[in-house]
Amino acid sequence: MSTAIAKKKIPLLDLAGIHAPLREEILAEIARVVDSQKFIMGDDVKQLERLVAQYTGTRFAVGCASGSDALLLALLAAGVRPQDRVLTTPYSFFATAGAISRVGAVPVFVDIEPATYNIDAENARRYLERDPAIKAVIPVHLFGACADMDPILEAARLQGCAVIEDGAQSIGAEYKGRKAQSMGGIGCISFFPSKNLGAFGDGGMLTTNDEGLARKLAALREHGSLKKYFHEWVGINSRLDTIQAAVLKVKFRYLDEWTAGRQRNADRYRLLLDGASIPLTLPKAASWQTRHVYNQFVVRCPDRDGLKAWLKENDVGTEIYYPLSLHLQPCFKELGYVEGDFPESEKASRETLALPVHSALSIEDIEYVCDLIRQFAGNSVQAAL
Ligand SMILES: *Cc1c(COP(=O)(O)O)cnc(C)c1O
């Protein structure tokens, strides 16, 4: 049946392949910062802030130490206080809900939409209309594609609650032609190495069109001070290192090229797997997701664990984002959620698998992964007979 294929090793993410061509350029930039000794808030931070503001179509960008801190700073700047309720999705990286708890507020979840894995916006809208005590809402643009923002923005405006976009995975994504991180009051970006624009360590950024918020965010990342040793607010220490900003400035120039590579690879998966009689649901961009940047290419498979094990056996890296919904995390037990509260999120956590999609993959690599998936499907059919 299936012809034997030569073995290859395909990691989920190949940072070496992505960084190799830039090695000299980046090392020269790092050496420049080292020689300047301006490790904290050097010029590169401001320059990167300007580039990202421009790229996201916002007026202001504020660097910080991580995407997680960006969320925390955004909540602080939005005036979220202990006991306030903040609406978000149960299907995200932990930081989304963790930041809410960290400021003493209470995460409130609404389930996701099964096709996009993003928060069900109509549900979120209804929830916001019902519960005027919600102080902020954090839609997450998961896997590189935007949540359905209009119903959320509209309801939040009517209720006077803040909208904070968790765009950690979605730099460059667009919603009905509008840029991610430009639609809510504050946008949050992560430069964790596995994100589409990754630093050589941790890093993050906030975006906003509001000058007052920009000022407050810039102060909050330096212990709430606008003037050294005078503190308007109680903030935290969360600056973006100059070295990371210098690295990111180089990598930023390649971001659109890498995104195009991810999109090309996603298209290739579709071409090779769509319509094949295999039990696999491919990601499909919703009509409003006008630019999907594929931080992850996530498929759904009833025998997800079997597929993962089979690909691992064949040296293809995959990952489960995320194996346990946020409402079921042990640390949120006190919130009182139980299994069955968010069935779509729980189902996604059992069925989804991220396949390699990064820009350093060749056509042959994608073909190879698709061949393995077809073999897996064939083996499963045989096993069932
Ligand atoms: C990565 C990520 C974060 C946190 O970013 P860090 O830079 O790792 O702190 C927050 N939210 C989502 C959805 C993420 O994927």
Side-chain angles (χ1 to χ4, degrees):
M1 221 190 49
S2 52
T3 48
I5 26 185
K7 280 245 175 201
K8 305 191 178 202
K9 193 175 169 75
I10 302 191
L12 180 66
L13 181 62
D14 176 17
L15 286 177
I18 289 162
H19 289 145
L22 309 180
R23 184 183 155 83
E24 295 312 316
E25 201 177 353
I26 291 176
L27 287 179
E29 289 297 297
I30 292 175
R32 181 179 53 73
V33 176
V34 169
D35 291 341
S36 81
Q37 320 292 339
K38 290 202 177 113
F39 300 112
I40 300 293
M41 297 304 278
D43 292 341
D44 296 271
V45 176
K46 272 244 144 1
Q47 288 159 6
L48 183 72
E49 287 172 344
R50 246 175 266 130
L51 288 172
V52 171
Q54 205 172 31
Y55 189 72
T56 55
T58 53
R59 290 178 62 209
F60 307 98
V62 176
C64 64
S66 69
S68 302
D69 275 4
L71 289 161
L72 188 71
L73 291 162
L75 289 162
L76 291 173
V80 172
R81 318 257 319 159
Q83 309 310 324
D84 281 344
R85 294 153 64 77
V86 177
L87 196 71
T88 192
T89 165
Y91 194 63
S92 179
F93 177 60
F94 177 75
T96 311
I100 297 169
S101 277
R102 252 302 112 247
V103 300
V106 181
V108 177
F109 302 111
V110 291
D111 209 354
I112 57 165
E113 229 191 17
T116 64
Y117 307 107
N118 279 319
I119 192 166
D120 182 322
E122 283 306 325
N123 253 341
R125 181 221 290 269
R126 280 193 291 277
Y127 202 100
L128 287 170
E129 286 167 356
R130 253 198 340 262
D131 187 349
I134 297 285
K135 196 62 193 273
V137 51
I138 309 184
V140 178
H141 305 315
L142 202 68
F143 303 146
C146 288
D148 187 7
M149 291 297 288
D150 279 340
I152 295 171
L153 291 167
E154 164 86 1
R157 190 175 53 78
L158 291 173
Q159 300 292 331
C161 93
V163 179
I164 295 166
E165 292 174 72
D166 183 342
Q169 303 182 4
S170 66
I171 189 165
E174 290 178 18
Y175 171 79
K176 301 182 183 175
R178 284 132 75 192
K179 298 268 168 71
Q181 281 76 256
S182 73
M183 296 174 276
I186 305 176
C188 301
I189 295 170
S190 166
F191 300 127
F192 183 78
S194 71
K195 307 297 161 102
N196 285 17
L197 181 61
F200 282 10
D202 279 309
M205 199 161 279
L206 294 132
T207 54
T208 182
N209 286 313
D210 182 312
E211 192 166 5
L213 276 177
R215 221 168 95 92
K216 191 170 178 185
L217 289 166
L220 285 169
R221 75 173 158 183
E222 295 195 279
H223 288 302
S225 77
L226 293 164
K227 189 175 142 199
K228 210 170 178 184
Y229 304 127
F230 293 84
H231 300 265
E232 307 292 315
W233 301 281
V234 179
I236 56 175
N237 174 11
S238 179
R239 290 172 292 231
L240 177 64
D241 287 339
T242 311
I243 284 184
Q244 298 301 347
V247 170
L248 288 163
K249 265 172 51 199
V250 174
K251 291 189 67 179
F252 178 80
R253 298 209 310 271
Y254 301 87
L255 176 59
D256 280 332
E257 189 184 315
W258 291 330
T259 300
R262 288 172 179 276
Q263 292 168 331
R264 177 198 62 214
N265 289 336
D267 287 346
R268 222 163 260 161
Y269 273 121
R270 286 212 184 79
L271 195 70
L272 294 170
L273 294 176
D274 222 1
S277 58
I278 48 174
L280 203 73
T281 310
L282 300 175
K284 189 171 179 304
S287 59
W288 65 78
Q289 294 173 329
T290 46
R291 190 172 191 240
H292 193 323
V293 297
Y294 291 102
N295 179 240
Q296 302 295 346
F297 185 84
V298 173
V299 300
R300 198 190 265 275
C301 176
D303 183 15
R304 186 268 312 275
D305 295 337
L307 177 61
K308 181 172 175 50
W310 166 252
L311 291 174
K312 182 168 187 229
E313 230 173 86
N314 287 283
D315 285 330
V316 173
T318 62
E319 188 56 273
I320 296 168
Y321 299 112
Y322 297 91
L324 186 62
S325 279
L326 296 176
H327 67 288
L328 298 176
Q329 295 292 340
C331 65
F332 290 141
K333 220 181 177 115
E334 282 167 35
L335 298 176
Y337 291 108
V338 293
E339 204 164 341
D341 280 346
F342 303 111
E344 290 301 343
S345 176
E346 291 165 24
K347 190 157 183 261
S349 68
R350 289 190 300 269
E351 294 186 343
T352 58
L353 190 66
L355 304 178
V357 73
H358 63 81
S359 57
L361 293 164
S362 65
I363 298 187
E364 293 73 26
D365 292 335
I366 304 283
E367 281 172 355
Y368 177 76
V369 177
C370 291
D371 280 340
L372 285 170
I373 291 172
R374 276 196 227 95
Q375 279 185 30
F376 172 77
N379 295 347
S380 310
V381 169
Q382 277 184 342
L385 291 178

